[in-house]
Amino acid sequence: MPHQAHASVRPIARALALAWCSVGLAQAAIFTCVDAQGRRITSDRPIAACMDREQRELSPSGSVRRVIPPEPTAEERAALEAKRKADAERDARLNEEKRRERALLSRYPNEAAHQRERVKALESVDAVEAAIHKRIEELVKLRAGLDEEMAFYAKDPAKAPPLVQRKLKDNKSLLDAQQAALKQQTAERQRVSERFDAELVQLRTLWAQAATPSAR
């Protein structure tokens, strides 16, 4: 009885083995190409000698499963990497622009809000300019007093007391510094105005887009 059972298992085992073999054959691949010397090469794996040219993967029946393109050259890889980097930088720039646009719309929902912010920014410049003008007036008055003292030494200014000479020098340095600061504030006023002008142009486009049904 045990012998009969053992004998009955053999056909089943053979059938399973044949089934697995057929599956393996169905999944097997054939790689073929023509190398640099014009030789046709066939292998059961990708062919190293044809990495620089097109290869074909065939099924056991001979049909083309896929065409494998050649490996890129060093120059091509460098170009692909440069393109990938440029694309990534472009995407990052576009995302940053969108983020700034959202922030701009959130800060200035309408033109009145933007105008209020412009007035506030220019008022800050006005306040600084007013302080500079006040300081210049003070220095000019001090200079007038020093000039009166120096009038006694008009024929020979070198004989003026060292303290008076030093005060004159300091006064001039301070006046020069205040005049430079005044020029900086003039440039700041222009910068602020140009910034708000540019923002307003952009915001008017964004407000119009937000107002259309497709943008909501």
Side-chain angles (χ1 to χ4, degrees):
M1 190 69 176
H3 176 73
Q4 291 178 350
H6 181 70
S8 65
V9 170
R10 289 177 181 172
I12 297 173
R14 282 197 296 272
L16 288 172
L18 288 171
W20 281 111
C21 286
S22 63
V23 171
L25 287 172
Q27 294 177 345
I30 302 169
F31 296 87
T32 181
C33 70
V34 177
D35 70 6
Q37 285 72 42
R39 298 174 300 181
R40 171 71 61 180
I41 303 176
T42 302
S43 176
D44 62 350
R45 66 195 63 194
I47 303 165
C50 290
M51 290 301 177
D52 62 341
R53 61 197 59 243
E54 184 180 278
Q55 301 186 49
R56 293 175 182 270
E57 182 184 345
L58 310 176
S59 68
S61 66
S63 62
V64 178
R65 284 181 175 172
R66 61 174 174 146
V67 176
I68 304 172
E71 287 287 327
T73 64
E75 291 79 7
E76 290 171 337
R77 287 195 299 271
L80 288 171
E81 176 60 21
K83 183 179 183 303
R84 183 201 64 76
K85 185 177 180 181
D87 289 345
E89 290 175 350
R90 180 202 62 211
D91 292 342
R93 185 172 62 254
L94 290 174
N95 289 334
E96 177 62 16
E97 287 176 1
K98 289 179 180 178
R99 185 195 67 78
R100 288 180 178 177
E101 287 177 355
R102 290 194 297 269
L104 204 59
L105 278 173
S106 176
R107 185 174 183 179
Y108 306 117
N110 50 55
E111 191 163 344
H114 188 257
Q115 180 60 24
R116 285 195 298 271
E117 191 71 15
R118 180 199 290 264
V119 171
K120 184 177 178 181
L122 291 174
E123 284 176 349
S124 296
V125 177
D126 291 340
V128 174
E129 285 185 349
I132 293 172
H133 281 298
K134 183 178 179 180
R135 180 57 178 157
I136 288 174
E137 289 176 3
E138 293 172 351
L139 290 169
V140 168
K141 288 180 180 179
L142 288 172
R143 178 57 185 260
L146 292 170
D147 286 342
E148 288 181 4
E149 291 188 47
M150 287 295 296
F152 293 103
Y153 309 97
K155 293 182 180 180
D156 191 0
K159 291 183 178 180
L163 179 61
V164 175
Q165 294 185 37
R166 187 169 66 251
K167 285 182 177 180
L168 276 170
K169 185 178 179 180
D170 291 345
N171 183 271
K172 183 179 183 306
S173 296
L174 291 171
L175 272 172
D176 289 345
Q178 293 302 310
Q179 293 293 345
L182 197 57
K183 288 182 180 179
Q184 289 177 353
Q185 287 306 303
T186 300
E188 176 66 7
R189 176 183 295 281
Q190 183 176 353
R191 186 193 67 80
V192 169
S193 296
E194 289 175 352
R195 180 197 122 199
F196 277 93
D197 288 344
E199 282 182 353
L200 187 56
V201 171
Q202 184 181 13
L203 279 165
R204 282 173 174 165
T205 299
L206 295 175
W207 290 326
Q209 290 173 351
T212 59
S214 60
R216 290 176 182 174

